[in-house]
Amino acid sequence: MTDTPAVKRVRTRHFAQAKRDGHKISGLTAYDAASAKVFDQAGIDFVLIGDSAANVMLGYDTTLPIKVDELITMSRSVVRAVERAFVIADLPFGSYEVSPEQALETSIRFMKESEAHAVKLEGGVRVESHIRRITESGIPVCAHIGFTPQSEHNLGGHIIQGRGDGAEQLLEDARAIERAGAFMVVLEMVPSDVAARVTEELSIPTISVGAGPHCDGQLTVWTDTFGYGQGRRPKFVRQYADLAGVLRDATKQYIDDIQSGAYPSEAESYENTHPDGKSPFGP
Ligand SMILES: Nc1nc(=O)c2c([nH]1)NC[C@@H]1CN(c3ccc(C(=O)N[C@@H](CCC(=O)O)C(=O)O)cc3)CN21
Ligand SMILES: CC(C)C(=O)C(=O)O
Ligand SMILES: [Mg+2]
């Protein structure tokens, strides 16, 4: 969907237009300025400061422990680095479920303190009034249904959602999200025929995270996609690079060069150029 000049910002209406035009939307997570800048320069449509930062950046087993303040700090660093892409911040577990008012208050914090362009939260029917409260205040909301990692203890693991009878519930959730005014919805780990059905029925774009090729766009956790993560890669991830391997090899070379004396050279050091030409350490 990059038919606009380089530094024209992506807005929510671009996503709606992309769906109408059949242009696929691309997204990646980002947690810091350095990676976000690279994705933006490459032309990504949106970056998500995912609460997957809990796993990827902070080393937790689940997304549940990450705090609002932690994600706001990351979100702010991404916003500073990005010139063109649309920036969406995840609302962490516990920061929006209590009430529509809590959801709005947390969303306002993200918009004010990190200057993200939109927020994302998990759930369909159960958070319909939360989504409505946020969008009515002028903050764009992206929803997230299917496998919702913040309820993984309830769902019983990383389990595909929307199979069999689950398909009707998923459609109900998707309809509630559209009704409530969300501009986009993430479908995570949903069978591709069910995701196709949701995509067809909704007027807002659907973004696949392991929901097959028939959605309006794709999103992955960047460290999975570029081989910079630890642990198992989900089946829906295609690995486009081995950044951990590149970094490991370069680190070994660096250590070798330090040990052999090859690094640093004189050219990588400073001469003493005192005006009287004399060194304090001798003639
Ligand atoms: N690094 C990372 N990548 C993700 O995609 C991701 C996170 N973290 N954290 C939050 C959630 C959790 N997600 C996950 C995590 C694991 C699987 C996984 O291992 N899936 C297996 C099958 C399920 C299983 O047996 O556990 C697969 O092969 O797809 C899938 C999605 C998606 N999100
Ligand atoms: C995987 C995406 C959808 C996400 O919610 C995250 O990265 O936290
Ligand atoms: Mg998330």
Side-chain angles (χ1 to χ4, degrees):
M1 60 180 277
T2 22
D3 53 355
T4 44
V7 185
K8 188 138 186 225
R9 273 214 171 277
V10 176
R11 311 270 185 197
T12 48
R13 68 185 142 81
H14 289 97
F15 299 111
Q17 190 64 47
K19 174 162 185 141
R20 284 195 293 273
D21 294 348
H23 290 169
K24 295 283 188 177
I25 299 162
S26 59
L28 283 168
T29 65
Y31 313 108
D32 65 9
S35 60
K37 191 174 207 76
V38 173
F39 305 150
D40 189 52
Q41 287 169 342
I44 203 83
D45 292 315
F46 72 92
V47 289
L48 169 72
I49 299 89
D51 60 349
S52 52
N55 312 118
V56 174
M57 296 288 119
L58 305 182
Y60 293 112
D61 285 338
T62 73
T63 58
L64 304 194
I66 199 163
K67 301 182 187 82
V68 170
D69 285 340
E70 291 168 330
L71 220 50
I72 283 181
T73 300
M74 293 180 195
S75 180
R76 194 165 51 208
S77 71
V78 168
V79 169
R80 282 202 206 101
V82 160
E83 288 182 12
R84 183 185 170 282
F86 193 75
V87 180
I88 307 173
D90 250 348
L91 300 184
F93 171 69
S95 75
Y96 62 93
E97 300 89 333
V98 174
S99 65
E101 285 64 40
Q102 188 205 23
L104 176 59
E105 279 169 12
T106 306
S107 301
I108 290 172
R109 282 201 60 198
F110 271 92
M111 302 302 282
K112 213 179 250 306
E113 296 176 36
S114 81
E115 299 183 82
H117 308 145
V119 297
K120 174 172 147 306
L121 51 73
E122 296 184 7
V125 171
R126 70 187 153 89
V127 289
E128 180 176 349
S129 57
H130 303 58
I131 296 172
R132 184 169 294 112
R133 189 82 180 85
I134 305 168
T135 56
E136 282 178 353
S137 304
I139 301 171
V141 174
C142 177
H144 176 168
I145 51 174
F147 173 61
T148 45
Q150 292 174 9
S151 3
E152 70 169 78
H153 298 302
N154 192 31
L155 298 174
H158 309 125
I159 292 170
I160 292 109
Q161 304 294 311
R163 280 182 170 154
D165 295 345
E168 202 41 55
Q169 179 60 51
L170 197 81
L171 268 163
E172 279 304 318
D173 284 331
R175 289 180 193 120
I177 285 162
E178 177 157 317
R179 252 193 332 263
F183 75 97
M184 197 156 83
V185 58
V186 167
L187 307 181
E188 178 163 355
M189 294 178 83
V190 170
S192 47
D193 61 329
V194 176
R197 174 79 206 283
V198 173
T199 302
E200 201 176 270
E201 184 162 327
L202 293 194
S203 64
I204 59 171
T206 60
I207 301 296
S208 158
V209 178
H214 309 299
C215 291
D216 299 303
Q218 298 290 328
L219 164 66
T220 56
V221 169
W222 86 261
T223 50
D224 294 343
T225 295
F226 302 132
Y228 192 44
Q230 321 98 312
R232 205 156 97 250
R233 248 182 313 118
K235 165 188 157 156
F236 58 80
V237 172
R238 185 184 299 178
Q239 197 181 319
Y240 283 84
D242 176 25
L243 291 192
V246 169
L247 200 53
R248 196 177 304 112
D249 290 347
T251 306
K252 284 180 186 157
Q253 188 64 55
Y254 173 74
I255 296 165
D256 283 353
D257 285 358
I258 290 171
Q259 288 176 345
S260 72
Y263 176 80
S265 67
E266 285 300 338
E268 288 153 335
S269 310
Y270 299 101
E271 274 179 81
N272 192 339
T273 52
H274 193 272
D276 66 13
K278 274 192 284 185
S279 162
F281 303 114

